[in-house]
Amino acid sequence: MFGALLATEATTLDALLAVACDFSPRVERCDSAAADGPCEVLVDLSGLTRLFGDAQTIASELRRTAADRGLRVRVALAGTSTAARLLVHQEPGLTVIEPGAEAATLAPLAIDALTAVATPGLPAPDILTFRRWGLRTLGDLANLPGDEVAARLGQAGVAWQRVARGEDPHPLVPALPEERFEQALDLEWPIDGLEPLSFVLGRLMEPLGAHLARRNRGAAALHVRLHLVTRAVHERTLQLPTPIRDARTLRTLALLDLEANPPTAAIDRVVVAADPTPARVLQFSLLTRALPSPEQLSTLMARLTALMGEGRCGSPVEVDSWQPGAFAMTPFAPAEPDAASKDAAYVPDVRRPGLQTRLGDSVSPWPVVALRRFRPPVPVRVGVDEGKPSRITTDRRGLSGGRVEMCAGPWRTSGAWWESHGWDRDEWDVMLTDRTTYRLFHERDTGQWFLEGIVD
Amino acid sequence: MANTSRTTLEAALRGRKLDRTLTTALPSIERTPTDVAALDACLHGGCPRGQVSEIAGPPSSGRTALLLALVGAATRHGEIAAIVDTFDRLDMASTTAAGIDRTRLLWVRGQAIAGSPPTGVERALDRALKAFTLVLQAGGFGVVALDVADVPVAALTRLPFTTWRRVQRMVEGSDTACVIVAPQPLARSAGGVTLLLSPSTTHTMRWTGNSNRSRLLAGLDVAVRVVSPRRRMDGEVVITASAL
């Protein structure tokens, strides 16, 4: 036996679900036909007659419980969930029908009643067509020959005919309670330091990872809460680049983060929680080399960041600026190679002398001369002869100075003069007598010379 | 007689699983190309994977140009690459010109040394080596490069030799081509290659234009001497690197 509860006043679905859950754990949320329609839930009441009595008593109890919580609801009980839903939309108050009498009870209802019952996977009922056929009630539709309906309206028409008879198109799908992916451990003695904490985290991450795996979920974010002996709570949140549920990876990431942000006192309670998200589905290719897994990359990036510092590891990207050497760092997150790059895969033919790369049958444009940029630029003393650099002197160990044998320039660039980091300078490429070639610039506002980098 | 003795000796070595020292038992080595035709021909296809190779030469000899060519080729072919940049010297425009797919490049930026205190250099080198080790241990990279080109030779020679031996053991058997860019040959593994760039007095910068105003840096002739194990692919090639 199924019951349908329909809120007659504006209320939240959670409140209605709470009433239904007091009677049975098998409760389904129903989608309303209109987006702002009243809240509706279905509840499986099988076996409740031993607890409450007959169906009428159960319906009364449902309505009374809702009223105790300040909800005004309609209640309908029937042998099928579809019949209960159709009745709850049409009949006010309590409606109870005996199992097996669904079709007869629904038959006098107007054909428009179908619009109130949105069924997943079924298109909206074609009420206009039904009216053109002269159908006025659900009974009229239910009594039509099934094959004739199928010939004219297809499987959707047959499905709506079954709904008109009160038959269920699918079994009840119970709503699962929201699960918390959290593990906690109260310590008998406070622990101080990361080494003992790593064991505790390992013990907590194992069941957390197993829980995520059972639900086919991964952690999108990991929360670590350390309750300190000072009554303070040291909380860290790690946003993970991809859903991860590997316990060792989660523990390593948490530890590396705590290394950089250690707690200020000893710990007497540890809580780890994960924000679940659907797990990744990976399809590896037989034709390309597999990239490191996101777990490996996350761990690597966390270790590198701990070693080198924030913002010193990742992929460089250009920024919207003409400033020489401007760039920004982004997290390193390589995508799987696409088909285009696979097609362009290079197969060296070592048997053929003077081989060419496969780049439109043209000679490769590489290599290109690179610049090794000094950050920050190295100040130098420059002798100027007839407006061009003639000698470079530097105190920096490892950099050569001397007479300029060849130079090209100047190229004047300026920009962002309206901001504090503006630039206005003349650039030169200069080659010294020992063939070391520098890019040099002269700041026009201060008159100072700097080495920007070595051409290499 | 000589053939019989050789066969007996090889059989004895195989029996004791010491046949890795035999030239006849060397496995074929996979290579990662540089997309520089003349160099790839000389290297029989590119830099060997699972080995430590090195690019050594003085400033302005084309070391960085070759490194970026190798990294660019790897990223264009769908692999990921990493550059551990000891002194934070990588230039964005150069990576663009080298055709590097930057989304597939992991750039580990070391600390730029403002002055040249020896302790600062050693600390930066130590961190770079640790980062290099971490990247190699993670695996999955097509090319991993350590740029110590601007580290003073004295600081490099002070490193214990076991440092490079450890790197070689980490790379061995992997699909990673490990490359070290240094001022002089340091740490080539048994199967790796050394690309020895010509001394600064002989390499040639190319310039166009006659007057100061019209002159442009057009390129660099990079003379590469390839030193390989058992002199299998020794040779010398001259490559022209075009200017940015």
Side-chain angles (χ1 to χ4, degrees):
Chain A
M1 188 167 53
F2 295 91
L5 275 74
L6 182 75
T8 55
E9 294 173 348
T11 184
T12 60
L13 185 62
D14 289 342
L16 206 57
L17 279 171
V19 172
C21 286
D22 280 357
F23 286 79
S24 169
R26 288 173 51 80
V27 175
E28 180 181 345
R29 301 182 183 95
C30 298
D31 295 328
S32 178
D36 55 348
C39 298
E40 182 187 356
V41 296
L42 271 173
V43 53
D44 185 355
L45 300 170
S46 307
L48 288 187
T49 48
R50 291 183 183 176
L51 283 173
F52 294 97
D54 61 0
Q56 190 69 39
T57 312
I58 295 171
S60 304
E61 279 295 316
L62 273 168
R63 198 170 188 205
R64 191 181 61 76
T65 308
D68 289 347
R69 298 185 185 184
L71 303 176
R72 289 172 63 85
V73 295
R74 291 181 182 182
V75 179
L77 269 63
T80 64
S81 59
T82 303
R85 287 193 69 189
L86 284 167
L87 286 169
V88 83
H89 280 277
Q90 298 301 316
E91 306 291 341
L94 296 178
T95 310
V96 179
I97 60 171
E98 290 299 316
E102 290 84 11
T105 312
L106 295 176
L109 297 184
I111 194 83
D112 294 340
L114 290 177
T115 54
V117 185
T119 305
L122 263 184
D126 193 355
I127 300 296
L128 193 61
T129 303
F130 291 152
R131 286 189 180 284
R132 281 188 190 141
W133 290 355
L135 306 177
R136 294 287 176 266
T137 63
L138 296 183
D140 294 343
L141 177 59
N143 291 332
L144 289 178
D147 52 348
E148 296 291 339
V149 174
R152 286 165 177 77
L153 295 177
Q155 286 306 308
V158 176
W160 282 114
Q161 193 183 28
R162 286 183 185 148
V163 170
R165 289 177 188 145
E167 296 172 15
D168 287 336
H170 59 79
L172 184 133
V173 182
L176 290 173
E178 194 172 328
E179 280 188 278
R180 290 177 62 81
F181 293 87
E182 186 174 299
Q183 294 289 328
L185 187 67
D186 289 301
L187 303 166
E188 291 184 31
W189 294 281
I191 56 170
D192 200 0
L194 292 178
E195 193 177 342
L197 183 61
S198 73
F199 292 103
V200 176
L201 284 176
R203 188 173 154 186
L204 291 175
M205 293 298 183
E206 288 289 345
L208 184 69
H211 190 186
L212 287 166
R214 275 200 306 276
R215 299 290 178 223
N216 194 24
R217 293 285 184 273
L222 183 69
H223 307 276
V224 180
R225 282 193 295 279
L226 305 177
H227 295 257
L228 309 181
V229 291
T230 57
R231 302 285 179 195
V233 178
H234 182 76
E235 184 160 4
R236 298 291 306 164
T237 298
L238 281 90
Q239 296 295 335
L240 305 175
T242 51
I244 295 174
R245 63 177 177 225
D246 180 57
R248 287 182 61 187
T249 306
L250 290 174
R251 187 192 67 166
T252 307
L253 293 175
L255 273 176
L256 287 168
D257 182 65
L258 288 170
E259 265 181 24
N261 305 279
T264 54
I267 305 155
D268 56 11
R269 177 178 162 81
V270 183
V271 182
V272 292
D275 291 346
T277 188
R280 280 175 292 124
V281 178
L282 284 180
Q283 176 67 56
F284 292 106
S285 170
L286 293 172
L287 306 174
T288 55
R289 288 179 196 279
L291 297 179
S293 68
E295 287 85 356
Q296 287 174 308
L297 278 184
S298 301
T299 311
L300 172 66
M301 294 311 296
R303 287 186 194 281
L304 287 175
T305 304
L307 177 68
M308 308 302 284
E310 200 68 40
R312 302 203 72 83
C313 313
S315 295
V317 289
E318 286 174 337
V319 293
D320 187 14
S321 169
W322 291 102
Q323 186 166 22
F327 70 96
M329 295 294 280
T330 54
F332 179 61
E336 287 288 337
D338 55 9
S341 62
K342 275 186 289 184
D343 292 343
Y346 176 89
V347 182
D349 184 0
V350 296
R351 293 165 301 178
R352 191 156 50 89
L355 80 171
Q356 304 291 326
T357 52
R358 196 188 301 173
L359 293 163
D361 294 330
S362 63
V363 177
S364 162
W366 299 290
V368 291
V369 173
L371 186 72
R372 298 180 66 81
R373 186 174 288 276
F374 297 124
R375 295 186 181 93
V378 179
V380 286
R381 295 184 295 280
V382 175
V384 179
D385 188 17
E386 295 179 358
K388 58 180 185 176
S390 60
R391 171 167 284 279
I392 292 175
T393 312
T394 174
D395 299 329
R396 177 71 68 88
R397 195 186 300 173
L399 294 181
S400 61
R403 191 171 63 80
V404 174
E405 189 173 295
M406 190 77 82
C407 68
W411 292 279
R412 180 162 296 175
T413 65
S414 65
W417 44 264
W418 57 93
E419 292 176 0
S420 59
H421 60 273
W423 74 96
D424 182 9
R425 63 193 203 172
D426 290 336
E427 287 183 6
W428 296 81
D429 286 334
V430 296
M431 184 175 77
L432 307 184
T433 48
D434 66 354
R435 304 294 174 93
T436 304
T437 307
Y438 291 115
R439 180 157 298 165
L440 191 69
F441 70 88
H442 175 235
E443 273 195 352
R444 296 184 66 230
D445 50 351
T446 62
Q448 283 188 305
W449 289 85
F450 294 91
L451 290 181
E452 187 168 30
I454 300 180
V455 176
D456 190 23
Chain B
M1 182 64 187
N3 282 341
T4 314
S5 305
R6 183 178 169 178
T7 309
T8 311
L9 187 60
E10 285 183 0
L13 287 169
R14 284 197 182 93
R16 292 171 185 269
K17 298 191 187 309
L18 295 171
D19 54 341
R20 283 180 64 83
T21 55
L22 300 176
T23 53
T24 52
L26 285 177
S28 62
I29 295 177
E30 273 195 87
R31 295 175 185 280
T32 181
T34 62
D35 277 5
V36 179
L39 189 58
D40 281 342
C42 190
L43 293 173
H44 294 197
C47 274
R49 295 179 190 270
Q51 302 290 341
V52 180
S53 299
E54 52 189 4
I55 301 171
S60 296
S61 60
R63 303 165 298 182
T64 316
L66 286 188
L67 170 67
L68 296 188
L70 180 67
V71 171
T75 59
R76 284 194 299 277
H77 298 152
E79 294 193 275
I80 56 174
I83 296 178
V84 180
D85 192 1
T86 308
F87 287 150
D88 195 13
R89 294 284 159 85
L90 191 65
D91 176 51
M92 182 62 57
S94 302
T95 61
T96 307
I100 294 176
D101 177 357
R102 285 192 297 260
T103 60
R104 313 185 79 76
L105 172 66
L106 170 61
W107 179 22
V108 183
R109 300 170 58 203
Q111 200 65 46
I113 303 295
S116 55
T119 51
V121 170
E122 281 174 9
R123 197 179 307 125
L125 181 58
D126 184 49
R127 279 188 182 178
L129 281 168
K130 282 179 180 164
F132 186 53
T133 308
L134 284 174
V135 177
L136 286 174
Q137 282 172 340
F141 287 82
V143 174
V144 178
L146 172 67
D147 186 348
V148 288
D150 295 326
V151 178
V153 175
L156 290 171
T157 50
R158 271 198 297 273
L159 290 172
F161 78 96
T162 48
T163 304
W164 306 117
R165 185 75 190 128
R166 199 168 57 244
V167 170
Q168 289 163 11
R169 293 303 295 269
M170 271 188 284
V171 176
E172 207 170 71
S174 72
D175 280 341
T176 301
C178 177
V179 180
I180 295 170
V181 183
Q184 66 179 33
L186 276 178
R188 173 167 62 82
S189 64
V193 292
T194 298
L195 305 181
L196 201 55
L197 307 189
S198 64
S200 56
T201 49
T202 56
H203 67 247
T204 312
M205 283 286 174
R206 290 180 174 229
W207 302 84
T208 59
N210 296 322
S211 67
N212 291 328
R213 297 281 175 185
S214 66
R215 188 172 297 130
L216 276 174
L217 177 62
L220 164 67
D221 284 341
V222 184
V224 186
R225 189 155 71 82
V226 179
V227 181
S228 66
R230 298 181 180 87
R231 301 185 179 281
R232 278 188 167 186
M233 45 185 157
D234 282 7
E236 193 159 345
V237 288
V238 177
I239 305 157
T240 299
S242 51
L244 296 171

